[in-house]
Amino acid sequence: MGLLSGDMLGPLAVAVLIFLLLLDVMHRRSRWAPRYPPGPTPLPVLGNLLQVDFEDPRPSFNQLRRRFGNVFSLQQVWTPVVVLNGLAAVREALVYRNQDTSDRPPPAVYEHVGYGPRAEGVILARYGKAWREQRRFSLSTLRNFGLGKKSLEQWVTEEASCLCAAFADQAGRPFSPRDLLNKAVSNVIASLTFGFRFEYNDPRIVKLLDMMEDMLKEESGLVRQVVEAVPVLLRIPGLAAKIFPGLKAFMALIDELITEQKMTRDPTQPPRHLIDAFLDEVKEAKGNPESSFNDENLRLVVTDLFSAGMVTTSTTLAWALLLMILHPDVQRRVQQEIDEVIGKVRRPEMGDQALMPFTVAVVHEVQRFADIIPLGLPHMTSRDIEVQGFYVPKGTTLITNLSSVLKDETIWEKPFCFHPEHFLDAQGRFVKQEAFIPFSAGRRACLGEPLARMELFLFFTSLLQHFSFSVPAGQPRPSDHGVFAFLVTPPPYQLCAVPR
Ligand code: HEM
């Protein structure tokens, strides 16, 4: 009490201020290194927090890119950040320097839901043994439970039939397809992780999707940036629960689902799904303190696969249907190809892709145009490196502006238009494009890419085989400008699905 009274307050305030300024100078000293990327001057303590609109950083990044070039720096409070733009810079960092750019910034903001040194999940895991172990496990388990095999294809195809039946129930009336797409895609992940699918009217899937939506909203905005830069703030009692209610609720539901699977598990039988396979690994790792196979990590790995695998694919499908109602000529050409190669009765198969260059080009162009993860996921340098001649010190957060590559004006003929010809040659054959990187690149690139590709092709062709989609009569033509909330979702819209 006595210490904080009267005459002492002034000098104490000055001392705290000097301490903060010294800390600030210490944190920004890397900026004075020769060849450090240019960027806007950071304010004391706040850095560039007020100079970037974190509700949607894309326009601010575009302006900064025009001013400072393809590699520019920012200071988020005390975290040094370098933003990479354009194919050359992104590829150099993620592919050629992948050994030193595959770390993630410490996920301190998630400690309140169990992230810690022994449990890091996959997506946010630091680059090291635990990440390698879990990435390999996720990939191989997904493969063993069907990824790349016929059985998963059958799963997706059967789910596509359920989705078509649910679309048919709308009986040509205008509706928003978002909810049904979310449920269908969730069911594919649910089958892989829990071994069952939800009926579309199961209250648990409704709850799961609501929570997922809340969780995504919590991933962007200024408050999120502030606690990320100063995670110690989350030690204020009650603050984490207030800022991340969706994440907490989502993980509680995942816990319930995992417990259910543990109770019905028969250890004498082969694993039924990813959770069983993980529990087998936990048993094997008993007594090994180095292992990342433990109960705490199981819930994080399942949450990661669920959250990364669900909303990304369903958002892309929502974009695909929006673009079909906005471009009826493209829709007709896809349907013509479906009719010629698959017909009206047989279910689409992955093998059909080889004979359907136009449809494959359309799916690629949907992903390029929709550009749903425009800023990728943050990486961190684990060593001092050079990118495009600039010095980027160890411990710098890297933001890979995937959007700047997917919409690069020097590469794409019509970067801001939906133009399937970007992926077709003069003879109408499908052509790969190096700048097509919606799944990112390098060691941390999306591990669910094969599954996502399978879902996109099979759901899309199944829907277009059975329905013609249009803007409902009397409704205005929806816009094709996305809404940024970490992911870029299409604007809310309705469509009519008329059986063919
Ligand atoms: C259209 C669908 C999808 C898109 C556009 C997409 C895109 C991405 C992107 C951009 C990243 C960040 C890569 C980086 O850090 O550089 C990522 C990471 C990841 N994705 Fe996907 N993804 C999709 C579907 C899926 C699916 C279906 C799954 C799982 C079943 C999945 C699981 C993951 C995981 C686990 C990571 C983290 C990888 C790591 O850190 O090692 N994704 N994805």
Side-chain angles (χ1 to χ4, degrees):
M1 269 298 280
L3 263 182
L4 291 178
S5 62
D7 297 349
M8 288 303 288
L9 267 181
L12 186 68
V14 173
V16 169
L17 195 70
I18 292 175
F19 174 72
L20 280 177
L21 287 175
L22 281 176
L23 210 61
D24 198 51
V25 168
M26 210 184 81
H27 276 98
R28 66 172 69 193
R29 69 187 189 288
S30 56
R31 296 184 66 83
W32 301 318
R35 292 179 296 113
Y36 188 75
T41 309
L43 298 170
V45 184
L46 287 178
N48 301 113
L49 267 190
L50 304 180
Q51 285 142 293
V52 174
D53 174 6
F54 286 101
E55 294 303 328
D56 181 358
R58 294 171 302 166
S60 319
F61 282 7
N62 286 342
Q63 273 173 11
L64 292 168
R65 182 187 184 190
R66 275 196 292 275
R67 197 165 144 211
F68 297 107
N70 279 338
V71 182
F72 65 82
S73 63
L74 292 170
Q75 183 84 24
Q76 261 164 293
V77 184
W78 289 323
T79 308
V81 176
V82 166
V83 183
L84 304 168
N85 301 275
L87 181 61
V90 171
R91 189 177 43 194
E92 183 178 350
L94 292 187
V95 182
Y96 306 145
R97 311 239 176 274
N98 63 29
Q99 179 79 339
D100 307 322
T101 59
S102 296
D103 202 0
R104 298 267 192 231
V109 285
Y110 298 108
E111 276 171 17
H112 66 104
V113 281
Y115 277 84
R118 291 205 63 226
E120 300 183 283
V122 196
I123 304 181
L124 301 173
R126 302 297 303 270
Y127 183 54
K129 185 171 169 283
W131 165 74
R132 224 166 272 125
E133 213 165 58
Q134 290 310 323
R135 183 164 170 117
R136 204 175 296 140
F137 168 80
S138 298
L139 275 171
S140 74
T141 315
L142 290 179
R143 209 175 289 127
N144 292 342
F145 283 103
L147 197 60
K149 287 193 193 158
K150 194 81 180 166
S151 61
L152 183 64
E153 192 171 333
Q154 276 162 355
W155 247 336
V156 179
T157 312
E158 276 156 29
E159 193 59 47
S161 294
C162 298
L163 182 65
C164 289
F167 269 47
D169 285 347
Q170 304 296 323
R173 285 187 298 270
F175 71 103
S176 162
R178 280 312 299 265
D179 189 44
L180 289 174
L181 294 174
N182 280 339
K183 287 173 177 168
V185 173
S186 303
N187 271 341
V188 175
I189 295 282
S191 311
L192 288 164
T193 48
F194 307 120
F196 68 85
R197 66 177 291 278
F198 296 94
E199 289 303 324
Y200 290 164
N201 57 3
D202 186 328
R204 284 186 304 177
I205 196 166
V206 176
K207 204 164 134 194
L208 202 81
L209 293 175
D210 284 350
M211 289 167 180
M212 177 72 80
E213 207 174 311
D214 293 346
M215 203 168 105
L216 272 180
K217 284 187 197 136
E218 293 162 10
E219 287 296 315
S220 54
L222 184 64
V223 177
R224 176 73 175 66
Q225 295 301 317
V226 171
V227 291
E228 193 166 292
V230 195
V232 69
L233 288 175
L234 289 170
R235 298 198 192 273
I236 299 172
L239 194 66
K242 213 171 169 58
I243 301 179
F244 299 106
L247 176 60
K248 269 199 133 52
F250 184 78
M251 290 197 65
L253 188 57
I254 292 287
D255 286 341
E256 257 177 51
L257 290 163
I258 291 178
T259 308
E260 221 172 79
Q261 293 311 314
K262 279 184 177 169
M263 277 159 54
T264 55
R265 180 163 179 253
D266 178 354
T268 61
Q269 294 298 313
R272 299 162 295 175
H273 41 58
L274 183 133
I275 293 177
D276 279 0
F278 196 101
L279 290 170
D280 285 350
E281 297 283 347
V282 174
K283 204 165 140 203
E284 206 145 285
K286 271 260 161 348
N288 174 5
E290 299 278 289
S291 171
S292 61
F293 288 101
N294 53 61
D295 282 350
E296 300 79 63
N297 211 14
L298 169 58
R299 60 197 288 271
L300 297 181
V301 170
V302 171
T303 303
D304 277 359
L305 292 178
F306 229 95
S307 52
M310 173 175 139
V311 81
T312 45
T313 313
S314 67
T315 300
T316 308
L317 286 167
W319 271 106
L321 295 186
L322 172 68
L323 291 163
M324 289 306 99
I325 63 174
L326 293 177
H327 301 272
D329 50 324
V330 174
Q331 181 177 178
R332 266 192 301 276
R333 280 184 70 186
V334 172
Q335 285 171 329
Q336 197 182 330
E337 204 173 56
I338 292 174
D339 292 348
E340 281 165 18
V341 177
I342 307 172
K344 293 228 161 60
V345 180
R346 177 172 70 76
R347 288 173 170 183
E349 293 166 7
M350 286 306 276
D352 294 325
Q353 284 188 114
L355 297 171
M356 299 176 71
F358 188 73
T359 307
V360 175
V362 167
V363 174
H364 278 70
E365 180 64 358
V366 166
Q367 284 201 270
R368 187 201 68 80
F369 179 84
D371 184 15
I372 64 163
I373 312 182
L375 304 177
L377 292 184
H379 287 230
M380 194 173 83
T381 47
S382 45
R383 212 177 290 173
D384 294 354
I385 58 163
E386 251 191 37
V387 180
Q388 301 286 289
F390 290 104
Y391 163 72
V392 183
K394 175 180 172 175
T396 303
T397 296
L398 295 178
I399 294 185
T400 49
N401 188 347
L402 302 183
S403 187
S404 69
V405 183
L406 292 172
K407 306 260 166 87
D408 192 324
E409 292 172 58
T410 63
I411 295 176
W412 306 97
E413 193 191 334
K414 299 180 181 176
F416 305 105
C417 297
F418 177 68
H419 185 61
E421 287 72 16
H422 283 141
F423 294 94
L424 292 168
D425 66 12
Q427 284 71 43
R429 287 178 301 223
F430 175 75
V431 274
K432 280 189 179 163
Q433 298 287 359
E434 208 190 350
F436 177 74
I437 53 164
F439 297 101
S440 188
R443 294 185 186 204
R444 294 295 299 233
C446 177
L447 68 78
E449 179 176 342
L451 173 58
R453 281 179 183 281
M454 187 184 281
E455 291 183 84
L456 292 178
F457 180 74
L458 295 177
F459 281 132
F460 182 66
T461 45
S462 300
L463 286 170
L464 266 77
Q465 183 184 37
H466 290 103
F467 302 98
S468 286
F469 297 101
S470 55
V471 179
Q475 286 198 16
R477 194 181 142 85
S479 140
D480 64 5
H481 283 278
V483 181
F484 182 93
F486 178 64
L487 285 190
V488 175
T489 55
Y493 70 94
Q494 290 198 320
L495 48 66
C496 273
V498 176
R500 298 181 64 217

